[in-house]
Amino acid sequence: MVTAGENGGVKRLAVALASVVALQGAATYTRDVAKILQTRCAGCHHAGEVAPFPLVTYEDARAKAKQIAALVKTRQMPPWQPEPGYVEFAGSRRLSDKELRTLVSWAEGGAARGKGLEPAGPVFPKAEEWRLGRPDLVVDLPEAFEVPAEGADVYRCFVVPTGLAEDKFVRAVEFRPSNRRVVHHALLFTDASLLKRPASYPCFGTIGLFPTEGLGGWSPGNAPIEMPEGAAVPVVRGSRLVAQVHYNPTGKVERERWSVGFYFTEKAPVRRVVDVGLASRVIDIPAGEAYYVVKQQFTIPIAVDAIGVIPHAHLLCREMRAWATLPNGKKQWLLNIKQWDFNWQDQFRYAKPIRLPAETKIEMEFVYDNSAGNPRNPHSPPQRVVAGPGIADEMAGVHVQSIPVDMKELPELGRALWGAVMRSVGGSFYTLPQ
Ligand code: HEC
């Protein structure tokens, strides 16, 4: 039962709350929106960066308000593919639900400026600055690469000598484009082989050679690549740097000449990051098939700490799932993407390492849509698509970046992985030494 007095209290509270809401009013740029755009968008959306327009000032934001609302609602922006609630990643670009609601209500409610001064914009590192300070070695692309004004995205591999006269351990690598407007992402590798290689060649999907080491990937707005503590990557003298770079035509001819800064350490690695790779070449997608599933699994013979995951497929793939079943039956998600976009290939680091005991089964399941209803289908009308490295082929791979808990057990993992590769390619790909 509510007495009159209490009732009055409730009313007064309601009035007070209503006036607080009225005081705060609809979201405004100066109070609510500026900080979201500055921390979540401006990293890519500022002059000279990869996004096509800046989102730094009120005028920038107001001019694009409608588009901002449309793209954040569907979560096309900021680009971030993993679904929330499965496994936590470091450096997630995903907006919180609250940030999303604020942006949408602001944009749809008239994009008000609000009172007060415009908050000062963030200070971005200059294009020519190295974020980790002066590198120990800089490898420059010898000549600028010319990106045509129009047409399909360009995937180009470059092989550049490092000039290293002695063996080194790499603790960090920074990729620095000279022209950030055209560079969408880059993957870096080393090649210690003595094979003859072209200085540069078109390469979509795979880099077309077996690298000696993977150094990691770069995409706009991301920090330089730092190796986990104790896991520096050895690079032997005479190695070449292999960079696969994805360029986006901008409407005018662009020239781009990237550099890679290497940071060395004296500390020999005591741990290795091993690529626990699951892949399938059993891909044969009939024309028009809208839900084609590719699966693979691998049981790890030793305990590892999974530190990150790199998925790989081409244009037709829509869903990517990977999970582990621990020996005690518990399911641990490793990746869940429902709207794969080849355009945004990130390398995902877990927020904290995930311990996977020996005899953990890792499974992957990818779903491909080869129907005319898939706007990314490179064929019109749809055609049968099989496994292969080209833009019109498909691939299916999940690379779980793993550190053995006991390094002495590494060879056992190596043997198991090699066996799995041999079985999955059916011996048709490589010939074993006699
Ligand atoms: C990691 C870089 C990155 C971040 C972070 C980012 N964007 Fe973008 N944005 C792009 C790029 C690149 C494009 C050009 C289209 C493309 O390549 O997908 C773009 C395009 C857009 C477009 C135009 C899309 C079109 O159809 O023309 C809007 C609007 C947009 N972004 C809004 C935002 C907002 C709002 C945020 C923050 C909440 C944001 N972006 C964060 C890189 C980024």
Side-chain angles (χ1 to χ4, degrees), residues 37 45 53-65 68:
L37 296 182
H45 286 268
F53 51 83
L55 286 176
V56 175
T57 65
Y58 171 63
E59 264 318 303
D60 297 339
R62 193 197 52 79
K64 295 287 176 188
I68 292 175

Side-chain angles (χ1 to χ4, degrees), residues 36-45 49-53 55 64-72 76-80 93 95 103 153 181 183-184 219-222 248 341 343-344 346:
I36 303 178
L37 296 182
Q38 288 177 357
T39 53
R40 305 300 230 143
C41 317
C44 294
H45 286 268
E49 261 296 346
V50 66
F53 51 83
L55 286 176
K64 295 287 176 188
K66 280 218 180 76
Q67 260 180 305
I68 292 175
L71 272 93
V72 301
Q76 280 164 279
M77 282 288 148
W80 180 255
R93 290 193 289 254
L95 293 179
L103 286 182
D153 289 13
R181 280 165 42 82
V183 183
H184 216 276
S219 49
N222 280 0
N248 251 176
D341 180 351
N343 214 11
W344 286 104
D346 283 305

Side-chain angles (χ1 to χ4, degrees), residues 4-312:
E6 280 172 347
N7 203 3
V10 170
K11 264 192 198 144
R12 273 197 301 280
L13 183 64
V15 170
L17 275 178
S19 59
V20 168
V21 172
L23 266 180
Q24 288 199 336
T28 69
Y29 180 81
T30 51
R31 193 189 55 213
D32 313 291
V33 169
K35 56 178 177 285
I36 303 178
L37 296 182
Q38 288 177 357
T39 53
R40 305 300 230 143
C41 317
C44 294
H45 286 268
H46 71 262
E49 261 296 346
V50 66
F53 51 83
L55 286 176
V56 175
T57 65
Y58 171 63
E59 264 318 303
D60 297 339
R62 193 197 52 79
K64 295 287 176 188
K66 280 218 180 76
Q67 260 180 305
I68 292 175
L71 272 93
V72 301
K73 254 194 222 170
T74 54
R75 294 203 180 267
Q76 280 164 279
M77 282 288 148
W80 180 255
Q81 307 201 51
E83 292 290 317
Y86 291 89
V87 50
E88 216 183 306
F89 292 102
S92 166
R93 290 193 289 254
R94 188 182 164 91
L95 293 179
S96 70
D97 291 348
K98 186 165 172 243
E99 290 171 319
L100 188 151
R101 278 197 306 274
T102 304
L103 286 182
V104 172
S105 75
W106 169 78
E108 291 181 345
R113 181 186 179 283
K115 294 203 197 75
L117 291 176
E118 253 186 52
V123 179
F124 297 106
K126 290 198 197 71
E128 68 281 6
E129 239 165 45
W130 295 102
R131 308 236 181 140
L132 297 178
R134 224 176 88 165
D136 298 309
L137 170 73
V138 176
V139 176
D140 295 312
L141 184 62
E143 272 171 48
F145 179 68
E146 200 171 278
V147 184
E150 313 271 340
D153 289 13
V154 176
Y155 297 86
R156 190 90 190 172
C157 280
F158 302 91
V159 181
V160 185
T162 59
L164 272 182
E166 47 184 310
D167 301 353
K168 292 286 183 190
F169 304 121
V170 177
R171 67 174 169 87
V173 191
E174 185 168 349
F175 178 84
R176 198 185 65 178
S178 72
N179 177 351
R180 291 171 183 262
R181 280 165 42 82
V182 282
V183 183
H184 216 276
H185 80 259
L187 301 179
L188 306 175
F189 306 87
T190 65
D191 172 32
S193 79
L194 300 173
L195 298 167
K196 252 181 110 80
R197 310 265 192 219
S200 107
Y201 52 97
C203 63
F204 173 90
T206 58
I207 58 171
L209 56 86
F210 252 127
T212 309
E213 300 285 348
L215 293 172
W218 175 90
S219 49
N222 280 0
I225 307 156
E226 295 189 70
M227 310 308 165
E229 185 58 39
V233 176
V235 178
V236 300
R237 70 199 139 92
S239 285
R240 289 169 289 193
L241 172 70
V242 180
Q244 181 193 38
V245 187
H246 169 189
Y247 294 106
N248 251 176
T250 63
K252 70 180 185 50
V253 175
E254 302 270 2
R255 292 168 64 76
E256 201 283 314
R257 189 173 167 216
W258 48 259
S259 309
V260 171
F262 286 86
Y263 299 83
F264 300 134
T265 171
E266 294 295 312
K267 282 193 218 145
V270 290
R271 309 190 292 165
R272 286 285 289 164
V273 180
V274 183
D275 173 7
V276 174
L278 277 70
S280 177
R281 291 188 51 83
V282 187
I283 304 177
D284 188 346
I285 318 173
E289 170 69 60
Y291 200 91
Y292 182 86
V293 180
V294 174
K295 294 183 187 188
Q296 187 57 281
Q297 64 174 60
F298 176 72
T299 299
I300 47 171
I302 66 166
V304 302
D305 285 319
I307 60 160
V309 62
I310 308 169
H312 187 73

